[in-house]
Amino acid sequence: VLALARLSGFRLLQHVTTWFVEIIRAIPVLILLFLAYYSLGAIGIKLQGFTAGTITLGVFYATLYGEIFRGGIMAVDRGQREAAQALGMTGGTIMGKVILPQAFFNILPPATNQLSNLIKDTSLVFTIAVTDVMFYAYLDGSNSFRYMDDFLLAGVVYFLFYIILSKLLARWELNVQRRRG
């Protein structure tokens, strides 16, 4: 949605979306988490930790994925759109049947790479009392005073999850590329 809004012919929508994307991308995720969890409460909007974390990571990564999708769409040769227009296709049909299928191959590698960053950034939600791997590592460390061991174990858990997911995504990317020819 953000990519299409930034590429739309409506100037106001382009400007609003561009500003939104630039502002969100410029602020560190941890600050966005604190703003969502602590600052919204000051104006009467109280979010649970999980909700604040989900919304924050969702909005932040939506801006990043929006830029990936926009770049993938823009990388499709302009002649493809012109050829589809010459065949009498409408704007929606051109986007859905010509541009997006080709853009998918441009989008896939950076999108899967960004997923690994999202996994790592989920460790930040422990700062707003969401029970995740880091929360339990901190909790156990505060009981045993062996923080280094617990944080190292949490790092191993994140590493294993990342490795498994990255191998699955790499295999999927390879299969998609093979089918493409």
Side-chain angles (χ1 to χ4, degrees), residues 4 72-107 180:
L4 295 176
I73 291 167
M74 291 176 63
V76 174
D77 187 80
R78 184 179 193 98
Q80 297 293 319
R81 177 180 300 276
E82 293 169 356
Q85 287 171 335
L87 291 172
M89 292 183 178
T90 64
T93 303
I94 293 170
M95 187 59 74
K97 297 207 179 232
V98 177
I99 305 296
L100 290 179
Q102 292 179 61
F104 174 75
F105 297 104
N106 300 327
I107 292 167
R180 183 179 186 205

Side-chain angles (χ1 to χ4, degrees), residues 55-141:
I55 290 171
T56 300
L57 291 173
V59 167
F60 183 78
Y61 277 90
T63 62
L64 297 179
Y65 276 101
E67 289 300 285
I68 290 170
F69 279 61
R70 186 176 68 85
I73 291 167
M74 291 176 63
V76 174
D77 187 80
R78 184 179 193 98
Q80 297 293 319
R81 177 180 300 276
E82 293 169 356
Q85 287 171 335
L87 291 172
M89 292 183 178
T90 64
T93 303
I94 293 170
M95 187 59 74
K97 297 207 179 232
V98 177
I99 305 296
L100 290 179
Q102 292 179 61
F104 174 75
F105 297 104
N106 300 327
I107 292 167
L108 189 60
T112 56
N113 185 50
Q114 204 56 254
L115 186 59
S116 66
N117 291 333
L118 173 60
I119 292 166
K120 292 182 281 186
D121 280 349
T122 61
S123 66
L124 296 173
V125 298
F126 110 93
T127 62
I128 57 172
V130 175
T131 52
D132 72 326
V133 173
M134 284 299 294
F135 178 85
Y136 286 114
Y138 181 79
L139 187 65
D140 190 62

Side-chain angles (χ1 to χ4, degrees), residues 25-48:
R25 287 179 56 206
I27 302 172
V29 178
L30 186 59
I31 292 174
L32 292 172
L33 274 170
F34 287 172
L35 289 172
Y37 187 69
Y38 296 112
S39 298
L40 288 178
I43 60 171
I45 302 170
K46 181 69 176 150
L47 298 176
Q48 297 297 321

Side-chain angles (χ1 to χ4, degrees), residues 2 5-23:
L2 290 173
R6 290 209 49 202
L7 293 170
S8 76
F10 301 107
R11 287 267 196 226
L12 179 61
L13 183 59
Q14 286 177 345
H15 290 302
V16 168
T17 309
T18 298
W19 275 103
F20 175 76
V21 167
E22 294 302 322
I23 289 168

